[in-house]
Amino acid sequence: MSTPGSVGQGLQLVPFRGLRYVPERVGSLAAVTSPPYDVVVRPDGLRELETADPHNIVRLILPQADSPADRSRRAAETLERWLAEGVLAADPEPALYVYQQDDGEVLQRGVIGALRLSPREAGVVLPHEEVMPHVVEDRADLMRATGAHLEPLLLAYRGHGAPADAVESDVDPHARDNGAAGVIERTVAGSPLLATTTEDGVDHLLWRVTDPADLAAITTDLSHRQALIADGHHRWATYLRLRAERPDPGPWDFGLVLLVDTARYPLRVRAIHRLLHQLPVDSALKTLGDAFRVRAVDGPLPQALAALDEAARPGPGGNAFLLAGGGRFHLLDRPDPALLARTVPADRPEAWRTLDATVLHSLLLDHLWKVPDAPEHIGYIHDAAAAVDQAERRGGTAVLLRPVSEDVVHDLARQGVAMPHKSTSFGPKPATGLVLRSLALG
């Protein structure tokens, strides 16, 4: 990504004293970790994590109680108890953390630290999606109550290091030794601070970086970079909101992040699907009229998703969606151009107007189906199979989307144009529970 042009400083990542699980006090490190809070959407998935270990991190990021205030209070009490019991403990000195994920196909490495917060207009951290106020409020309540950042955001930046799959002869030996990339590669050659393999077969390793020369190399390198929020828009908005509540400088000026150099370790971009809780698929189809071409497609799900990919075309009118419910799949494509012109706002770039998420929310959800964008009406689900399963069990409709090109995401972010919320799912996402940040520790 390009260098910020309007500020003298780019990314400012500082060490912190990480809170980590004490291995002797838990069943296993894998048993206490979790995906990010917004990926754990199925009740059975939440129960599975809660029962995996009594100290699983979901008891902090997704506490269960009857009211929002009770949930936040329960999380704060749980965190305080775990600290008192020695389940969690702070590392002895501030550090940055090198984090590696490896699923056998995708290798990702990055640096976890406390990043100085900056407004969008500074051009240092670029959001690309809008946020939902009720989610920001929920996360803000949780962070205020616990006084902690419980899971890192995923930020992507473009360094100058060689890609992870580059052959040795292509690598500049001097570039390899400099900056954040050089520190990461040297660090992973040593013994990790912790290593665990989660149920999905992903290996997670963490190293601590405390050497002043290494910290300085990372600081200098990142000071010329800007980053795209790949995952965690609501948590970033929450960081900014909580900082605005505190006029004096302090630990709330920083937020917990994982920075990944996508020149070396490209991220995967996947779609986030919609589950319409109160709209049966038959009702959804009847309301369409001539707005789209509608065709029944055969399953199973992978075959139906392949039909969705084949139907979509670039440019205006190339949108396509797959509806699932009632044991059937229906493909929607070729939207009516006149209806698109009437319903999609014209004051944005074409790349935004032609997004599937834009057309879905403007034409289908708002205009035709009149589905309010509220939790009781719409669920946002990362896994297509889970969305279809919930639609079948609850009698609703799953709307399955295709992933957005990463280039489109970057281009819109650089223009300061926000995509509809929950338009993309970048990954691999960091596991929650490996390292936390307590604001009380500075």
Side-chain angles (χ1 to χ4, degrees), residues 221-241:
D221 185 2
L222 294 180
S223 69
H224 303 290
R225 313 287 183 200
Q226 65 179 181
L228 177 78
I229 300 178
D231 185 68
H233 283 81
H234 290 91
R235 282 166 283 164
W236 181 259
T238 304
Y239 288 168
L240 294 176
R241 175 172 177 170

Side-chain angles (χ1 to χ4, degrees), residues 19-27 29 32 55 77-91:
L19 285 183
R20 296 188 299 107
Y21 280 99
V22 177
E24 295 78 13
R25 298 302 309 273
V26 297
L29 289 173
V32 294
H55 303 110
E77 293 171 349
T78 300
L79 177 58
E80 184 178 2
R81 184 174 68 254
W82 289 357
L83 288 169
E85 295 174 350
V87 174
L88 288 168
D91 279 339

Side-chain angles (χ1 to χ4, degrees), residues 49 130 229 255 259 308 310 312 355 421:
L49 290 167
E130 297 171 349
I229 300 178
L259 280 163
L308 173 63
E310 293 172 3
L355 289 170
H421 51 255

Side-chain angles (χ1 to χ4, degrees), residues 123-418:
V124 176
V125 175
L126 303 177
H128 69 269
E129 287 184 356
E130 297 171 349
V131 297
M132 295 176 282
H134 73 275
V135 178
V136 175
E137 182 62 38
D138 177 72
R139 293 295 100 182
D141 288 344
L142 186 64
M143 288 186 199
R144 287 192 202 96
T146 58
H149 295 158
L150 303 173
E151 46 188 336
L153 284 65
L154 175 60
L155 302 186
Y157 74 98
R158 301 288 292 181
H160 297 307
D165 58 355
V167 297
E168 185 67 19
S169 59
D170 293 335
V171 179
D172 180 343
H174 299 290
R176 183 174 51 213
D177 292 336
N178 295 329
V183 174
I184 290 172
E185 301 310 317
R186 291 194 299 273
T187 299
V188 299
S191 299
L193 183 66
L194 65 85
T196 190
T197 302
T198 45
E199 275 195 357
D200 54 7
V202 178
D203 295 329
H204 304 265
L205 296 93
L206 197 72
W207 292 261
R208 190 165 47 214
V209 179
T210 57
D211 180 83
D214 286 341
L215 295 175
I218 293 174
T219 298
T220 301
D221 185 2
L222 294 180
S223 69
H224 303 290
R225 313 287 183 200
Q226 65 179 181
L228 177 78
I229 300 178
D231 185 68
H233 283 81
H234 290 91
R235 282 166 283 164
W236 181 259
T238 304
Y239 288 168
L240 294 176
R241 175 172 177 170
L242 295 179
R243 184 189 66 171
E245 296 175 358
R246 293 161 174 81
D248 296 328
W252 293 93
D253 292 342
F254 298 82
L256 183 63
V257 304
L258 165 65
L259 280 163
V260 173
D261 177 359
T262 55
R264 298 179 65 85
Y265 303 103
L267 298 175
R268 294 180 295 203
V269 188
R270 293 175 174 168
I272 301 178
H273 311 289
R274 275 57 171 167
L275 175 64
L276 311 182
H277 300 297
Q278 301 183 31
L279 182 68
V281 70
D282 288 339
S283 300
L285 292 169
K286 287 177 183 177
T287 314
L288 290 174
D290 297 325
F292 286 83
R293 182 176 70 166
V294 181
R295 292 174 288 160
V297 295
D298 294 330
L301 178 59
Q303 183 175 331
L305 288 172
L308 173 63
D309 288 337
E310 293 172 3
R313 308 185 311 277
N319 309 97
F321 307 95
L322 185 66
L323 304 191
R328 298 166 293 156
F329 296 103
H330 290 86
L331 182 64
L332 278 56
D333 66 353
R334 300 184 184 180
D336 176 22
L339 191 56
L340 283 174
R342 292 202 310 271
T343 58
V344 175
D347 59 347
R348 308 283 181 88
E350 180 178 305
W352 181 89
R353 298 196 307 272
T354 57
L355 289 170
D356 287 341
T358 297
V359 173
L360 171 61
H361 282 263
S362 298
L363 195 161
L364 285 169
L365 295 175
D366 294 346
H367 181 72
L368 291 177
W369 291 337
K370 303 188 186 307
V371 175
D373 195 356
E376 60 269 26
H377 290 278
I378 303 179
Y380 294 86
I381 300 181
H382 293 72
D383 182 72
V388 173
D389 177 65
Q390 290 200 43
E392 297 292 347
R393 290 192 288 113
R394 300 183 180 185
T397 299
V399 184
L400 307 184
L401 292 83
R402 299 169 302 128
V404 181
S405 162
E406 184 174 353
D407 289 341
V408 170
V409 176
H410 284 213
D411 288 344
L412 288 173
R414 291 189 187 102
Q415 297 177 61
V417 178

